[in-house]
Every structure is written in C-alpha cells, then in structure tokens.
Amino acid sequence: MTSPELKDVGDHQLPMTTFTDPKCPLGFYSKEELKPHLKRPPQDPRAPGADGRPFVPGRMTPAELREKQKGLAKNQFNQFASDRISLHRSLGSDTRHPDCLEQRFRRCLPATSVIIVFHNEAWSTLLRTVYSVLHTAPAALLTEILLVDDASTDDHLKMHLDEYVQQLKIVHVLRQRERKGLITARLLGAQAARGEILTFLDSHCECFPGWLEPLLARIVEQPTAVVSPKITGIDRNSLKFSKPATDRQLHSRGSFDWSLTFRWETMSKEENKRRKNETYPIRTPTFAGGLFSISKSYFEHIGTYDDQMEIWGGDNLEMSFRVWQCGGQLEIIPCSLVGHIFRIKSPHTFPKGRSVVTRNLVRLAEVWMDDYKWIFYHRNRRAAAIAKENTFGDISERLKLKERLNCKNFTWYLKNIYPEASVPDLRPVMFGVLKNSGSKRCLQVDKPEGWKPVLQRCCIGPQQYLEYTSQQELRHNIDKQLCLHATSGAALVSFELCHFKGNGSTVAREQVWHFTQGNNLKNPSSGKCLAVGGQVVKMSACAPTSLYQRWVFI
C-alpha cells in the first residue's frame, strides 16, 4: 500500500509516503464499497433529537430539574438532553453542497485509526461519538477506534466501558493511570494506532454523512497536508446539530491573536477566489486542533507533539506554526463536516492549575516565534516572567527538530501564510495598563458598549492592555486594531479602528497623542487633553497640574 520516497517542498526535503498500490483496481468507489462498518438501526422520526433536531423537554418534575442542573454543572452541556437522545441518532438527509454530493473517490484510499481522548465524559456523548463514526465511516477505510482514557474517575468509564465496547469489535480502550492530559493521551493513541492515517476527534462529536472520505482523499493528493473537517456546532443546551446549507458559503478559517488565543475569522477573499468549487480545501493559518487527520508517517516526521507541554493548551498553535514553517500545510475540507459541542468553559480541573497553559504558550513562543514572542510577552506578564525565569522546561530537542527540518522563520510565516495579520510594534514606546493618577483607576476597552473607553479597577487583563506606539497612537491590539480616538468637536472619546495600517498609510490626526513631560495625553488636533470627570473619560482643556489628566503606564 505504501512506499516511502523523498519529495522536495521548497527548501524542505520530506520523507513522503505515497498511497499507491499496484494491485489496486482502477476507477472509483461504488456506493456499496463505501458501506459503513455498522448499519444504523431503524430511526423513529418522532424520537427526541431525531434527524439532528433540538431536544424539546416537556414539563419537568423537580427530580428531572435537579438531574438537569447536575449534568450541566458536571459537563457544561445539557447531559439530561443527551441521555434522552438515541446513541444512534441520524442527522437526516445529506444537505451538503451539490459539489460535495457529486464528489467521487478513487479506490484504495488509506485506512485510518480514529483516536478519541476522554476524561470523565458523559456516557451518552462518548458513545454517540463512537457510534457516529461506526455508522458513517466506510468499513474499508476504518481500521479501529481507539478510546484513550486520561485517568477518568467516573465509575461508568471503567470496567463497564471495557465490557461494553467488546461487542463493537474494532473499538478498543487504552488507559493512562495518571492524569497527564490531552497531549500525552493523544501520543499514546498515535503510538498504538495501526492505520496509515491518524484521525483525532473529541469525545462529544457527531459525524455527518460523507465526512471521512474527503479527508483521506486530500492526504493522498498532498501527503504533507494536515486536514480538518469543517466544524459545525451541536448546541450545548438542546443538542441541535447545525446542518450545512446547500448553497456555497463564505467559510471560516483559523487565526490567532497576540495573546496566542485561537480565533475563527472569515476566509479571505483571496482564498475564496483560489477555490474553484466546494471540494477545494481552505488554507488556514491555524487550526482548532481537536478534530483533524494526518498521515501517521508525516505526523512522526514533523515531530508529533511537543511532549514537554503539560495537560492541555497551546498544542494547536504550536502544531499550526510548526507544520507551516516546516514545509507542510493546514487545510479545512468543507465537504467533511463534523459536529462538536462547544462548552463555555472546561468542566475539568487541571492537576497543576491553569498556569500550565501559559507555560505551554511560552514553549511554543520560544521555539517558533523568534522576536515576535515579545509581542506576546508584552500582553501576558505571567508568560514574560516564566520566560525570564527560564521555567518553561528544556526546548533543546524542539530547536534541534526545527534545524533538522530546515524550518522557515516566523517572519516568513507572517508574510506568506498570514499576510492579513496586523503586526504590532515589536518594541512599543510604552505598553501595559494606563492608570489615571486622580481616580486611581485604569482605562479599559468595554466590548459590550461598542469599544467604549471606561474606567475600571486596575487588573492587568487583556481588556486593559494598551500600547503607546512609535506612531504616537494609543492602541488596544489584542484582537482588533483599535486606537483611542478624539472626535473633533466632541467631549467624549472612543476606540475606533486604527487608520494607520502600514504600507504608506497615515495616522488619523484624531488618533495622535502627545505624552507630555507632565504625563498628560494631548491630542494636538483638538488641543485638548485626556481627562477623567465624574468617572467618565473625556476631552478637556489641558490642566497640567490636574491629577485627573495625569496618566502613567503600570
């Protein structure tokens, strides 16, 4: 089935796997050849949540209300609803774009191992994920499903689970006796996997018909591609599955902000033009990291995961930067659709606290971001302290990997992969939290009020982060590029999108601020100064001695 060879990708020489078999019959798979491993049992269209519809509760008893609240608190989704929806529920008719429905796949696609990590997952969501794979993945393309337990403590996930999956034949449970987190658990699954392709899913997913074949076919076309399905939502309260629309859509792709938080953004117009139809992949600067497929040989070649990262967090951005900088590519495959329950917050505790996430982010910044790491450190003082104290662990092996793979630098990544990124000053004139000396409070961007500047207790959080740039702007640039804006003739100030975007653009005069020797902030176009009056941030006639016009970065 496979034969290793070398392939040059720019400056990168990659050991590739070509998924060809001289004995493979010519032509395309028939519908019969793509039958799933397990036929879905007959469906009752009136059953709760049938065809992906929302669960609609009737009048609930006090005991049921208590059960619902207990499930919400434990899982951060409506377990009460999930437990009453069939483990085998159908998602109804295939509503993907016609381009997807007409897509055919050449025979002899490589088979995959599906790896699902779980920790104290609800029985119904875990098993519905498993059955969803068994009912949709072609038997010929599914080697096994590996359930990797990250030291769950719930009784239903112990011997009862082991005994239950025996009937499913190709489903196996692997266990970490000690809580080590997602990264270590996925590595355990990858090491045990027998499939040529590794497919990672979360433990609260449902797969839409036809989700697997497009992922595998793309890896055959481009073995260095790390491919994600289009991730749609399963409502955390009603468990309604958001089905795709049949018309062509402007899709989302992954990005990041300079706090190193993963974000979704609308696909660029350039990327949309490049795609000839809906079967074409979407190049994405970063990926969510929970649901994706990758050639096992390429996964090993590219450095698997940073196994010195702890528990959870940052692994998706680390892998995103590494894959792109080292000659691979990240893609979203729109014809592959998987639903996921998005929780507002994690229901799980972290053995070493949430500081492990910051430590993980420092590791990826130190290895992959070059001097751009300082943009992150300016925004995260805890990360800056970890970097300064050198308490993020040994990264020598990751640096050797970077050298061995002849990886590009972060400037190349920003220029070639994410040119739309707005890059702040590497060395701003001043940065931090801007405190008013009179009120003893700090300037904050209030998102619910439409980017309004307000005064709040100083907390050194992302909403209070500001930079005084070399262009004499006061920028809030965690996500959007917002500048403090003194509207002509108005007393109040606002945060508006920054006019200066580089490339020959200029700074709007309303967004220019002179920091005087007396720590006043003066807007030269209006001749007025930033002041506090009655707990409101406003423009006033400059009074150099007034503490309510004095501002300092802390």
Side-chain angles (χ1 to χ4, degrees):
M1 184 74 177
T2 64
S3 59
E5 60 179 37
L6 287 176
K7 180 179 180 181
D8 285 319
V9 183
D11 297 331
H12 308 270
Q13 194 178 61
L14 304 177
M16 301 293 295
T17 298
T18 53
F19 300 98
T20 57
D21 184 349
K23 299 179 182 178
C24 182
L26 298 176
F28 299 91
Y29 282 111
S30 66
K31 190 173 181 180
E32 184 70 18
E33 290 173 305
L34 294 177
K35 286 176 61 176
H37 181 85
L38 191 64
K39 185 178 179 181
R40 202 184 301 269
Q43 300 286 295
D44 180 355
R46 298 164 299 176
D51 292 339
R53 294 193 299 269
F55 173 79
V56 181
R59 187 170 182 176
M60 299 176 70
T61 67
E64 288 175 327
L65 286 170
R66 288 193 296 272
E67 180 187 344
K68 179 182 177 181
Q69 289 305 315
K70 183 180 178 182
L72 281 169
K74 178 174 172 54
N75 300 286
Q76 295 297 309
F77 61 76
N78 190 352
Q79 183 184 343
F80 180 88
S82 178
D83 290 349
R84 284 155 179 79
I85 293 173
S86 170
L87 298 180
H88 305 273
R89 83 157 164 179
S90 167
L91 297 174
S93 58
D94 191 342
T95 57
R96 292 176 298 161
H97 190 277
D99 290 346
C100 301
L101 301 182
E102 295 166 7
Q103 192 174 13
R104 296 194 300 168
F105 302 97
R106 294 195 178 276
R107 288 192 176 97
C108 301
L109 291 176
T112 188
S113 296
V114 174
I115 299 166
I116 302 169
V117 173
F118 66 93
H119 174 75
N120 287 343
E121 184 66 60
W123 178 267
S124 57
T125 44
L126 177 63
L127 267 295
R128 193 177 299 110
T129 303
V130 171
Y131 278 120
S132 175
V133 174
L134 293 173
H135 292 321
T136 56
L141 305 179
L142 181 62
T143 301
E144 62 199 345
I145 300 175
L146 300 178
L147 301 179
V148 186
D149 174 23
D150 185 24
S152 295
T153 56
D154 291 348
D155 288 340
H156 66 267
L157 297 172
K158 297 181 181 178
M159 187 177 295
H160 181 43
L161 179 63
D162 291 336
E163 293 173 349
Y164 185 91
V165 300
Q166 287 180 8
Q167 65 180 311
L168 300 177
K169 307 300 182 186
I170 66 168
V171 182
H172 311 287
V173 180
L174 306 175
R175 298 194 184 271
Q176 291 190 146
R177 301 300 174 185
E178 178 186 345
R179 180 92 190 278
K180 295 182 179 179
L182 177 72
I183 298 163
T184 306
R186 284 189 163 181
L187 286 172
L188 176 63
Q191 289 163 3
R194 295 180 293 115
E196 290 185 88
I197 306 297
L198 305 177
T199 298
F200 296 96
L201 296 178
D202 283 345
S203 54
H204 31 269
C205 292
E206 290 180 69
C207 302
F208 204 67
W211 70 281
L212 182 59
E213 298 94 307
L215 299 177
L216 303 181
R218 179 56 182 156
I219 293 174
V220 170
E221 289 176 347
Q222 179 52 263
T224 62
V226 181
V227 292
S228 296
K230 180 176 181 180
I231 304 172
T232 190
I234 302 173
D235 188 86
R236 62 186 291 269
N237 293 309
S238 70
L239 270 79
K240 177 186 177 182
F241 188 101
S242 295
K243 295 179 65 171
T246 55
D247 56 334
R248 189 171 183 185
Q249 303 169 4
L250 194 59
H251 299 286
S252 295
R253 65 176 190 175
S255 65
F256 70 97
D257 65 28
W258 291 101
S259 291
L260 296 188
T261 301
F262 172 82
R263 295 187 180 276
W264 293 105
E265 67 177 23
T266 302
M267 180 176 64
S268 67
K269 292 179 181 178
E270 291 74 20
E271 182 67 11
N272 194 41
K273 288 177 183 176
R274 189 187 63 83
R275 301 177 62 245
K276 296 180 180 178
N277 61 45
E278 279 298 278
T279 68
Y280 272 62
I282 297 165
R283 288 158 52 97
T284 181
T286 67
F287 73 150
L291 289 61
F292 69 96
S293 294
I294 184 172
S295 157
K296 184 174 182 179
S297 63
Y298 185 61
F299 181 66
E300 292 167 349
H301 167 78
I302 204 73
T304 64
Y305 283 110
D306 178 353
D307 61 7
Q308 297 304 304
M309 282 187 166
E310 297 179 335
I311 305 301
W312 173 89
D315 52 286
N316 60 323
L317 292 186
E318 191 275 340
M319 192 169 188
S320 298
F321 298 158
R322 172 164 45 93
V323 167
W324 277 119
Q325 289 173 239
C326 303
Q329 53 205 75
L330 286 178
E331 297 176 342
I332 296 168
I333 309 299
C335 288
S336 172
L337 194 81
V338 176
H340 179 271
I341 299 176
F342 290 97
R343 301 186 276 210
I344 295 175
K345 62 179 182 179
S346 172
H348 308 307
T349 57
F350 292 77
K352 296 183 180 180
R354 291 186 176 270
S355 63
V356 298
V357 177
T358 306
R359 178 186 176 276
N360 289 350
L361 293 175
V362 172
R363 288 186 65 83
L364 81 86
E366 290 291 325
V367 175
W368 299 107
M369 293 181 67
D370 309 318
D371 281 348
Y372 294 91
K373 66 188 178 184
W374 293 108
I375 301 176
F376 168 52
Y377 294 155
H378 292 162
R379 287 153 181 74
N380 190 319
R381 295 190 181 185
R382 179 60 191 143
I386 290 172
K388 184 177 181 180
E389 295 160 5
N390 197 22
T391 54
F392 50 85
D394 183 6
I395 59 171
S396 59
E397 289 302 314
R398 302 309 281 180
L399 292 173
K400 288 177 184 176
L401 173 75
K402 183 179 180 181
E403 183 178 2
R404 184 169 69 250
L405 297 179
N406 197 23
C407 302
K408 305 287 190 182
N409 59 31
F410 204 67
T411 299
W412 176 90
Y413 170 86
L414 291 171
K415 182 179 179 181
N416 293 276
I417 306 306
Y418 196 21
E420 302 85 2
S422 181
V423 182
D425 286 354
L426 285 178
R427 307 286 184 185
V429 179
M430 287 179 275
F431 62 90
V433 174
L434 192 60
K435 183 178 182 179
N436 179 260
S437 299
S439 66
K440 307 294 185 186
R441 292 189 166 237
C442 289
L443 198 62
Q444 178 169 309
V445 181
D446 196 356
K447 292 184 181 181
E449 294 295 326
W451 312 109
K452 178 182 175 182
V454 297
L455 287 172
Q456 294 289 353
R457 181 175 59 86
C458 299
C459 65
I460 315 181
Q463 284 183 263
Q464 292 187 358
Y465 180 80
L466 290 166
E467 289 181 352
Y468 187 63
T469 71
S470 56
Q471 302 296 321
Q472 297 183 309
E473 307 154 301
L474 276 170
R475 278 197 181 230
H476 174 78
N477 49 14
I478 298 292
D479 179 14
K480 295 180 181 293
Q481 297 292 313
L482 300 174
C483 284
L484 193 65
H485 188 98
T487 303
S488 179
L492 297 181
V493 291
S494 60
F495 276 102
E496 306 284 346
L497 291 173
C498 298
H499 283 229
F500 180 73
K501 298 179 174 65
N503 299 322
S505 61
T506 58
V507 181
R509 62 180 189 167
E510 296 89 352
Q511 296 179 357
V512 174
W513 300 89
H514 290 173
F515 232 122
T516 70
Q517 287 186 342
N519 285 346
N520 300 123
L521 277 165
K522 183 177 181 179
N523 173 244
S525 69
S526 65
K528 294 184 178 182
C529 289
L530 190 68
V532 172
Q535 297 302 308
V536 175
V537 184
K538 61 182 184 178
M539 300 301 294
S540 293
C542 294
T545 60
S546 172
L547 291 177
Y548 290 91
Q549 290 191 14
R550 193 169 295 171
W551 301 87
V552 291
F553 275 102
I554 61 172

